[in-house]
């Protein structure tokens, strides 16, 4: 055989094998990941940040929260996206001198703005995901109460109350988007459509 066969150990020697003594090179490698040295490094900083972020809710919690958590995450996620668009809109106009919204030949977003917004989304948006999850868990009971109130006031089935709540949220968030862009452009003193 290519590998030597292991010898049987006497009963007195059973138990964990002793670790070999560390040499200077292996001791440095063993201490490389120690918390004392990693406090200033990006990995140590990220680990500290990750410990402070809220934990993922359990399946039991999600079942208890019901449709409220779905609406909560939808609302908070959309508000996060609206915030990114509102902040990027006037900055894009100031830096490029072009409008993020092209009106001719057809109504569409400027491809350069979409690249700009995508970069912001994948940086800021990714960091905000745990915060959005925590906010949706916190506001889920309020959305469940709102859904129950709509169902009782309209005297309709749950699916119809769900549709009415979705339409109300969509209209409200659309107004927040337009109002936010107008306000951000006014603060930055740039036209809404350059």
């Amino acid at each position: 055989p290519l590998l030597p066969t292991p010898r049987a150990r006497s009963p007195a020697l059973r138990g964990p094998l002793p670790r070999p003594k560390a040499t200077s090179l292996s001791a440095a490698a063993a201490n490389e990941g120690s918390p004392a040295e990693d406090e200033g490094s990006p990995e140590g900083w990220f680990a500290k940040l990750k410990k402070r972020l809220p934990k993922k809710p359990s399946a039991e919690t999600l079942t208890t929260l019901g449709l409220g958590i779905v609406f909560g995450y939808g609302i908070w996620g959309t508000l996060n996206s609206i915030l990114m668009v509102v902040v990027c809109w006037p900055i894009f106009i100031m830096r490029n001198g072009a409008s993020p919204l092209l009106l001719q030949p057809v109504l569409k977003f400027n491809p350069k703005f979409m690249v700009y917004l995508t970069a912001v989304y994948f940086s800021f948006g990714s960091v905000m995901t745990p915060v959005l999850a925590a906010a949706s868990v916190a506001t889920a009971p309020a959305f469940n109460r709102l859904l129950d109130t709509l169902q009782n006031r309209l005297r309709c089935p749950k699916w119809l109350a769900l549709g009415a709540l979705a339409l109300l949220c969509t209209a409200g968030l659309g107004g927040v988007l337009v109002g936010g862009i107008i306000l951000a452009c006014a603060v930055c003193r740039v036209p809404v459509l350059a």
Side-chain angles (χ1 to χ4, degrees):
L2 297 174
L3 298 173
T5 57
R7 291 186 288 165
R9 295 178 66 196
S10 69
L13 295 176
R14 291 188 197 242
L17 292 173
R19 291 186 76 184
K21 292 185 179 180
T23 63
S24 61
L25 180 60
S26 62
N31 290 334
E32 188 176 326
S34 69
E37 291 183 17
D38 277 347
E39 286 180 6
S41 71
E43 292 84 16
W45 176 82
F46 183 71
K48 285 181 183 179
L49 177 66
K50 195 171 181 180
K51 285 180 185 177
R52 290 182 176 220
L53 292 175
K55 303 291 182 232
K56 166 173 98 164
S58 67
E60 185 178 298
T61 304
L62 293 176
T63 304
T64 304
L65 296 173
L67 286 173
I69 195 164
V70 175
F71 265 98
Y73 194 79
I75 296 296
W76 289 111
T78 305
L79 281 172
N80 184 41
S81 298
I82 286 171
L83 176 66
M84 288 184 272
V85 169
V86 164
V87 169
C88 290
W89 194 283
I91 294 172
F92 181 80
I93 293 173
M94 288 188 306
R95 289 191 177 170
N96 296 312
S99 176
L101 190 62
L102 302 176
L103 301 174
Q104 298 202 359
V106 291
L107 183 66
K108 67 177 185 175
F109 280 109
N110 189 333
K112 291 179 184 176
F113 177 70
M114 294 309 294
V115 170
Y116 193 78
L117 188 60
T118 301
V120 172
Y121 180 81
F122 282 115
S123 58
F124 177 75
S126 299
V127 171
M128 289 300 292
T129 302
V131 176
L132 298 176
S136 64
V137 168
T139 56
F143 281 107
N144 284 331
R145 283 192 302 273
L146 184 59
L147 187 61
D148 290 341
T149 302
L150 274 174
Q151 189 176 358
N152 292 336
R153 289 252 171 108
L154 297 176
R155 294 187 186 104
C156 62
K158 193 167 200 158
W159 65 268
L160 191 57
L162 204 61
L165 182 59
L167 284 174
L168 285 171
C169 291
T170 303
L173 291 170
V176 169
L177 174 65
V178 172
I181 290 172
I182 292 169
L183 180 64
C185 288
V187 166
C188 294
R189 296 184 180 148
V190 294
V192 174
L193 297 172

